[in-house]
């Protein structure tokens, strides 16, 4: 259990939190939600003790251990992967290191023997003999293969580091688990594993995530940050949304009835206040009128961008033909003889753990890379808009936002260009900010403005939801569902994939899987195929 008592945090004159009182109890998973800038990550830092509140305090039960998902991906580069995971239980790791140091001494004294005996007893009590096996189970579950378990963290790529740091946070059954965006940079298989882990986790979890499907799967409660307060709701994300909308509706209906009553009383008072025989009743109604208070209904501080991709040209029947494309990068063949055709109604999600292959294919189709073998051909009616996974180069310049966007617009009128920025929640003065100083979320919103203003009829989007808040993800999701062109995309947001895609592709070690289906149906068939494999039954054609 962990609780915040009268917690206030002021940043200058602004109160990010004001007298927050909330208790997070054992056996529950709490989704911490709120608009960008509401203070979700900051509140986790207050709970973890990394940040001191201006007033109030945080209380945990004595003897309980808190674990946090680390955000610095380079913090453990000097350590081995296995050690990094076990460090999730700081005391256990300290015991292991102290034991090792004692046993390595050439002159082993009686005092050393006594100390080693004490450490061994504590080590056994903490189930230390199973530490490496437990760590390996977590790593394997998240998709970190055994070959990496004893490598240095510095040897791992970014996605593997994220998984190791997540395994560290989960290690050792912490009493309170704080997870800030745990699904970022995870493949869908790893996310599914994490969902099952948290569903079966017996202690307290507080999680910040922009993945709606994930929050619906794992959360028993939603803690909503708005107007410097935190309101607790029982249920998952969808239940919170329905409950919050219903509450607002009920308050509006109650206010409407109060307004009707106020009007009725005011009319009576106006008609009869000068009438001697009715003056007593008028006075009584005046008192009743004074007691009526309308409920204050504040609109949510959440802001939804307006995302609407409108192609300037209708797409023809011939969209894209990919023929026998292969590509080797750093000695590794990431694409091997890939072929497929794209129809004019296709919205294709590229799924699976092989994200490098997907990114490489998208870069080839966007003209950033040349294939080693094979070819591709775009239809003559097509125009392509590309959202890269790594967009660093796009913003490595001194342009202000408005000028940066204008370079992609046929219409150079400043008002026209700023209109697209306004749709993506950039206020008037934001237009003169330099693009190189923008946050990750702001850069993504700039790229989406670029795609809208280019009006292409084919969109290639590599992980577009990274760095977006829940409101922007919802707006993008809705925009792509309405889009009348073709989409080729990758995304780790289950609900986004399920509601956008009508065709699923997965690049595997044995070739390309291509199914005209929804994502949920694809996963269901994939699970069926795995069960058949385990039971040594033949795999049916529709399973793969």
């Amino acid at each position: 259990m962990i609780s915040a008592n009268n917690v206030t945090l002021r940043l200058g004159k602004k109160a990010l939190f004001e007298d927050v009182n909330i208790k997070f109890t054992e056996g529950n998973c709490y989704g911490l939600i709120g608009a960008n800038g509401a203070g979700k990550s900051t509140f986790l830092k207050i709970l973890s003790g990394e940040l001191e509140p201006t007033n109030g305090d945080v209380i945990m039960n004595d003897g309980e251990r808190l674990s946090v998902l680390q955000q610095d991906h380079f913090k453990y580069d000097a350590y081995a992967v296995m050690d990094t995971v076990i460090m999730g239980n700081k005391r256990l790791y300290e015991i292991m290191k102290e034991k090792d140091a004692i046993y390595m001494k050439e002159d082993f004294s009686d005092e050393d023997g006594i100390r080693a005996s004490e450490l061994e007893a504590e080590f056994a009590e903490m189930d230390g003999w199973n530490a490496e096996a437990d760590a390996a189970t977590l790593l394997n579950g998240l998709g970190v293969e055994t070959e990496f378990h004893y490598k240095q963290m510095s040897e791992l790529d970014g996605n593997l580091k994220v998984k190791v740091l997540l395994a560290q946070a989960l290690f050792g059954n912490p009493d309170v688990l704080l997870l800030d965006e745990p699904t970022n940079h995870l493949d869908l298989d790893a996310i599914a594993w994490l969902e099952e882990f948290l569903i079966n986790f017996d202690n307290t979890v507080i999680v910040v995530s922009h993945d709606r499907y994930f929050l619906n799967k794992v959360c028993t409660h939603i803690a909503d940050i708005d107007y410097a307060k935190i309101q607790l709701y029982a249920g998952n994300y969808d239940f919170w949304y329905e409950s919050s909308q219903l509450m607002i509706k009920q308050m509006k209906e109650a206010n409407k009835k109060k307004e009707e009553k106020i009007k009725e009383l005011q009319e009576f008072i106006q008609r009869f206040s000068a009438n001697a025989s009715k003056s007593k009743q008028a006075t009584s109604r005046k008192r009743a009128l004074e007691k009526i208070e309308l409920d204050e209904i504040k609109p949510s501080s959440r802001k939804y961008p307006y995302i609407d991709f409108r192609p300037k040209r209708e797409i023809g029947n011939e969209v894209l033909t990919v023929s026998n494309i292969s590509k080797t990068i750093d000695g590794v063949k990431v694409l091997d003889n890939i072929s497929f055709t794209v129809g004019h109604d296709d919205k294709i999600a590229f799924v699976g753990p092989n994200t490098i292959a997907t990114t490489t294919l998208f870069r080839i189709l966007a003209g950033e890379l040349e294939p080693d073998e094979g070819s591709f051909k775009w239809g003559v009616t097509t125009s392509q808009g590309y959202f890269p996974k790594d967009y660093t180069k796009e913003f490595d310049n001194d342009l202000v936002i408005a000028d940066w966007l204008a370079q992609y617009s046929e219409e150079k009128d400043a008002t026209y260009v700023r209109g697209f920025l306004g749709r993506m929640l950039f206020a008037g003065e934001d237009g003169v900010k330099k693009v190189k100083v923008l946050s990750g979320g702001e850069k993504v919103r700039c790229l989406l403005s670029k795609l809208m203003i280019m009006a292409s009829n084919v969109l290639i989007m590599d992980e577009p939801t990274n760095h977006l808040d829940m409101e922007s993800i919802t707006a993008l999701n809705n925009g792509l569902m309405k889009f009348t062109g073709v989409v080729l995309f990758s995304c780790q947001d289950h609900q986004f994939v399920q509601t956008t895609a009508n065709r699923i592709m997965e690049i595997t070690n044995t070739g390309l899987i291509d199914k005209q289906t929804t994502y949920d149906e694809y996963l269901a068939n994939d699970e069926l195929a795995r069960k058949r494999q385990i039971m040594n039954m033949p795999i049916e054609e529709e399973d793969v």
Side-chain angles (χ1 to χ4, degrees), residues 317-425:
N317 289 326
E318 293 184 8
V319 178
L320 173 65
T321 303
V322 175
S323 303
N324 309 115
I325 281 183
S326 295
K327 182 69 178 179
T328 298
I329 296 177
D330 296 330
V332 178
K333 199 164 196 176
V334 294
L335 296 174
D336 188 5
N337 202 33
I338 299 296
S339 297
F340 59 91
T341 58
V342 176
H344 68 280
D345 293 323
D346 282 340
K347 292 181 178 177
I348 306 173
F350 286 77
V351 303
N354 196 351
T355 57
I356 295 175
T358 299
T359 295
T360 302
L361 177 63
F362 285 178
R363 292 184 66 194
I364 289 172
L365 297 179
E368 284 193 353
L369 283 178
E370 289 290 331
D372 297 335
E373 299 172 28
S375 63
F376 66 94
K377 183 181 179 182
W378 288 105
V380 293
T381 63
T382 64
S383 56
Q384 300 83 44
Y386 177 45
F387 184 109
K389 180 181 284 189
D390 182 2
Y391 41 76
T392 308
K393 291 180 181 178
E394 286 266 14
F395 300 98
D396 189 17
N397 56 68
D398 288 318
L399 292 174
V400 299
I401 298 177
D403 292 341
W404 176 88
L405 185 59
Q407 36 179 3
Y408 302 105
S409 175
E410 291 183 0
E411 173 62 64
K412 300 300 180 183
D413 178 70
T415 303
Y416 176 80
V417 173
R418 285 179 180 270
F420 283 86
L421 292 175
R423 292 180 188 180
M424 295 307 298
L425 308 181

Side-chain angles (χ1 to χ4, degrees), residues 290-306:
E290 289 168 358
K291 291 179 181 177
I292 297 176
E293 292 184 5
L294 294 177
D295 293 322
E296 183 183 10
I297 305 175
K298 288 185 178 181
S300 172
S301 61
R302 293 172 173 80
K303 294 181 180 179
Y304 289 81
Y306 178 70

